Amino acid sequence: MARWDGLLAGPHNAGALRIAGNPEDWATPVLCITGPAKCGLTFLAAAWASRFNGECLTAAQLARAGRRGLDALAERHVALDDADLAVGKQDEALLSLINLVAAGGGRLLLTAHRPPSQWRTASADLKSRLNALPVGEIGPPDDNIVRARLAIAAERRFLRLSPETLNYLVPRLELAYDAVENFMDRLSDAVSDHDRAPSLPLARRVLEQMSDAAGEDEAEG
């Protein structure tokens, strides 16, 4: 497997990744990592769990775990992806997991797009636990991360972007993870429509179409 933090490595995220990568140094047994849409939190949760021979769960899997399943996780490294989706639906299970991990000597990594203080729960005990959690934040990408994410997104779509195309795109794309994914979706569609490789002229055309569409939306707004 590639580096567990490979999709997110960069100066903006170094602090959060360093903390997540050293669970034995956590101030508490539970840590939450937040970040913007499409930043790679799901990958981060799965790769972190794999690195420490642990378990990665979704909110739906947490709901199905049952007491016996939760007990089995108490001493392990557990990642719960989109943890905020469990709040309000699986409050008891999440609170039990937090308490069991704390008592059993394990570690629990929560990932979400919003900090735990903003998660809505009717459980006063869970709310207290969430408000006390340390939080690491994944920031917006810089140019180097955009370049790396473009190459990775292209590979997932069985495409290859030339160095010249990357050099053109990086300073022109919005510094946002979802902007990279949106562009690559559109470029992939254009490649299929025109039955041609993702050349620099085609990438330029797609980017210009996106800019034109954004301008029209602003005008209508």
Side-chain angles (χ1 to χ4, degrees):
M1 172 181 280
R3 278 177 54 92
W4 73 278
D5 57 354
L7 281 178
L8 298 167
H12 294 80
N13 303 329
L17 295 176
R18 183 173 60 253
I19 294 170
N22 295 281
E24 67 279 2
D25 294 334
W26 292 2
T28 66
V30 186
L31 173 72
C32 182
I33 297 290
T34 64
K38 305 291 186 180
C39 75
L41 289 176
T42 296
F43 173 90
L44 175 66
W48 181 88
S50 176
R51 180 187 182 186
F52 295 105
N53 195 29
E55 188 80 20
C56 185
L57 303 176
T58 64
Q61 290 170 327
L62 175 66
R64 296 193 298 267
R67 181 69 192 201
R68 181 176 297 178
L70 293 179
D71 285 342
L73 299 174
E75 299 178 4
R76 303 189 65 191
H77 286 64
V78 183
L80 179 61
D81 188 36
D82 285 331
D84 55 327
L85 299 184
V87 176
K89 299 177 182 178
Q90 288 94 43
D91 285 356
E92 183 176 349
L94 179 55
L95 181 60
S96 293
L97 180 60
I98 291 173
N99 291 337
L100 287 167
V101 166
R107 290 292 184 269
L108 175 60
L109 178 70
L110 308 177
T111 64
H113 296 306
R114 296 175 297 139
S117 60
Q118 296 180 11
W119 303 354
R120 295 185 177 181
T121 173
S123 167
D125 286 344
L126 180 57
K127 185 65 175 176
S128 176
R129 300 292 198 287
L130 295 176
N131 287 342
L133 288 183
V135 180
E137 183 179 2
I138 299 300
D142 58 16
D143 285 352
N144 290 332
I145 293 180
V146 166
R147 180 182 295 273
R149 292 294 291 266
L150 279 169
I152 292 170
E155 185 177 349
R156 287 204 313 269
R157 295 165 174 83
F158 304 101
L159 303 175
R160 182 181 181 278
L161 300 178
S162 69
E164 293 78 14
T165 301
L166 288 170
N167 289 340
Y168 176 82
L169 291 172
V170 169
R172 292 171 174 82
L173 270 175
E174 179 187 358
L175 292 177
Y177 299 99
D178 52 356
V180 172
E181 295 296 329
N182 185 25
F183 170 81
M184 287 306 307
D185 283 342
R186 291 172 180 261
L187 181 63
S188 181
D189 290 343
V191 167
S192 298
D193 292 343
H194 297 282
D195 193 23
R196 57 189 293 192
S199 62
L200 175 55
L202 184 60
R204 182 187 293 116
R205 181 185 305 174
V206 170
L207 194 59
E208 290 172 349
Q209 290 172 345
M210 290 175 61
S211 297
D212 291 344
E216 291 175 0
D217 290 342
E218 290 180 2
E220 292 176 359

